Amino acid sequence: MSALLEIQSRLFDNDAEAKRLQLELAKKPNDFGIAISLESVEKFGNELRKAFAEEAAKLEESVLDYRLCVNDRVGISQVNSIIDNFQNLFSLVYDAIATKKPKNTAKITRQAKEETAFALGYTYSGSIGIALTLKTPKNNLFGSDIDLAMKETLKMINEETPEAVRHLVLRYGLGTFKALKAWVNSHVTNNIEAEINWDKSTENAISKRVELPKLNRMKQVLEPTDSQTIEEIIETSGILQGFNYAASNFNIKLEDDNEDEVITGTIDSNLSHEQTTGKMYNFKIVKRIQINNTGEKVSYILTDIM
């Protein structure tokens, strides 16, 4: 058994003992002996968690400590919803950073999905504590793209203004925006706060407290009552598959190494009437995103063909 698996096994045993003592103390709240035993077990658990993080670091693995702060009984589906939504958001942010392109859909490249898939390290008591591990090779002195993606993901917890949302959509794409909204909603709907720590024993440590008042403010910004319009000018290349000036619509198959993407939209009235289809061109396109409390709508206007 590897050292990491051995520590993991001891953590599971330690947590089971802590839970047993907590139940005993609840029945006998004035039992000093049980209280001392519980304190000792919890102290040993902290030492084991530190040892786990240190051993994981030797294997170039980072630890994400995600503690859900709950007041009532919580179902497995609620916990899974929060963790799954966080995983999806983090993977999209990482994919956007790795490919240097905003994620306009929820589709994650296979490589990004593999490189960002968390594994269960251990669980612990104290509301609901979940420690996840992730292979994180350090490719420079400042960490890795994984570290940067985690920093950017947790920074999104502060997105409380329309301008911040606009920056998010333009930099990381509408797909990432939707993933952030799903993650926020999973916390708000289930009335669960959280404490999130990334590699807290290293120089790349990040800590965030996810509180419901802040999450509710974010929810209002992410689902505004008044429509918010975001425009972006895209310069790209591809094959002009369809061009109907009279009907004011076009169809372009974009040149993309990762996936085939076809976009359709309307034609700017200043563009020439005559265009030859089936050929490769460079295009200038206005991408318009409308966001309100009913959802998001994306439209495209073709303004130039070169």
Side-chain angles (χ1 to χ4, degrees):
M1 180 184 291
S2 72
L4 193 65
L5 288 176
E6 183 179 346
I7 298 170
Q8 185 183 54
S9 177
R10 294 172 72 185
L11 274 162
F12 283 126
D13 291 341
N14 180 267
D15 187 56
E17 179 64 8
K19 288 176 180 175
R20 185 189 72 78
L21 289 170
Q22 286 167 357
L23 289 173
E24 287 295 315
L25 191 60
K27 295 175 184 175
K28 304 175 182 178
N30 297 319
D31 193 314
F32 188 68
I34 296 175
I36 290 294
S37 296
L38 178 58
E39 184 179 348
S40 177
V41 168
E42 288 176 340
K43 181 179 179 181
F44 184 53
N46 289 333
E47 292 173 358
L48 285 173
R49 284 193 280 276
K50 183 179 178 181
F52 184 91
E54 290 172 351
E55 194 61 35
K58 294 177 185 176
L59 302 173
E60 291 193 319
E61 290 190 11
S62 293
V63 179
L64 176 71
D65 190 323
Y66 204 123
R67 189 169 78 89
L68 300 173
C69 307
V70 298
N71 296 315
D72 301 312
R73 288 175 60 87
V74 177
I76 292 175
S77 61
Q78 295 168 290
V79 175
N80 286 344
S81 171
I82 290 172
I83 299 300
D84 284 348
N85 281 320
F86 184 84
Q87 170 75 82
N88 189 49
L89 172 61
F90 173 67
S91 295
L92 283 165
V93 172
Y94 174 80
D95 204 358
I97 290 171
T99 60
K100 296 180 173 59
K101 290 169 48 178
K103 300 299 297 181
N104 293 315
T105 69
K107 186 175 181 180
I108 303 167
T109 60
R110 180 179 297 178
Q111 182 176 350
K113 192 174 291 187
E114 291 174 353
E115 292 177 353
T116 58
F118 288 109
L120 177 64
Y122 56 88
T123 59
Y124 60 94
S125 56
S127 288
I128 301 173
I130 303 169
L132 306 168
T133 61
L134 185 63
K135 196 73 176 176
T136 315
K138 308 300 180 186
N139 50 20
N140 58 56
L141 292 174
F142 304 100
S144 67
D145 283 346
I146 290 287
D147 292 310
L148 177 59
M150 184 59 68
K151 179 182 178 181
E152 290 297 299
T153 300
L154 295 180
K155 194 163 72 175
M156 288 178 186
I157 295 170
N158 297 320
E159 309 290 35
E160 294 184 28
T161 66
E163 184 56 35
V165 170
R166 180 179 181 277
H167 172 77
L168 165 67
V169 172
L170 292 178
R171 185 169 183 180
Y172 290 109
L174 188 59
T176 308
F177 167 82
K178 291 180 178 179
L180 175 62
K181 187 163 71 169
W183 175 72
V184 169
N185 284 340
S186 63
H187 269 283
V188 171
T189 302
N190 294 308
N191 199 38
I192 294 176
E193 297 186 334
E195 289 181 3
I196 305 174
N197 289 285
W198 171 254
D199 262 0
K200 62 181 178 182
S201 61
T202 74
E203 66 276 9
N204 296 308
I206 310 170
S207 295
K208 281 288 182 181
R209 171 79 183 179
V210 183
E211 298 175 323
L212 284 171
K214 179 180 283 290
L215 289 167
N216 277 302
R217 290 194 297 271
M218 285 181 65
K219 181 178 169 64
Q220 291 175 2
V221 171
L222 296 171
E223 298 178 352
T225 303
D226 298 324
S227 180
Q228 180 181 354
T229 301
I230 301 170
E231 287 193 352
E232 176 186 11
I233 296 176
I234 302 172
E235 293 187 3
T236 187
S237 58
I239 299 173
L240 185 63
Q241 294 183 325
F243 187 92
N244 187 329
Y245 190 84
S248 187
N249 59 56
F250 70 90
N251 182 312
I252 297 171
K253 181 179 181 296
L254 298 182
E255 187 181 34
D256 195 313
D257 295 332
N258 296 314
E259 56 185 308
D260 291 336
E261 183 179 358
V262 176
I263 63 172
T264 61
T266 58
I267 300 168
D268 188 281
S269 59
N270 294 320
L271 204 56
S272 170
H273 292 218
E274 300 297 330
Q275 301 295 338
T276 304
T277 58
K279 292 178 60 177
M280 179 74 75
Y281 294 99
N282 293 318
F283 304 99
K284 184 177 286 187
I285 302 167
V286 174
K287 179 180 179 181
R288 182 173 294 159
I289 303 169
Q290 289 183 304
I291 301 171
N292 55 39
N293 61 349
T294 62
E296 305 81 30
K297 181 181 178 182
V298 181
S299 60
Y300 298 93
I301 303 171
L302 180 59
T303 59
D304 200 3
I305 299 178
M306 299 157 278

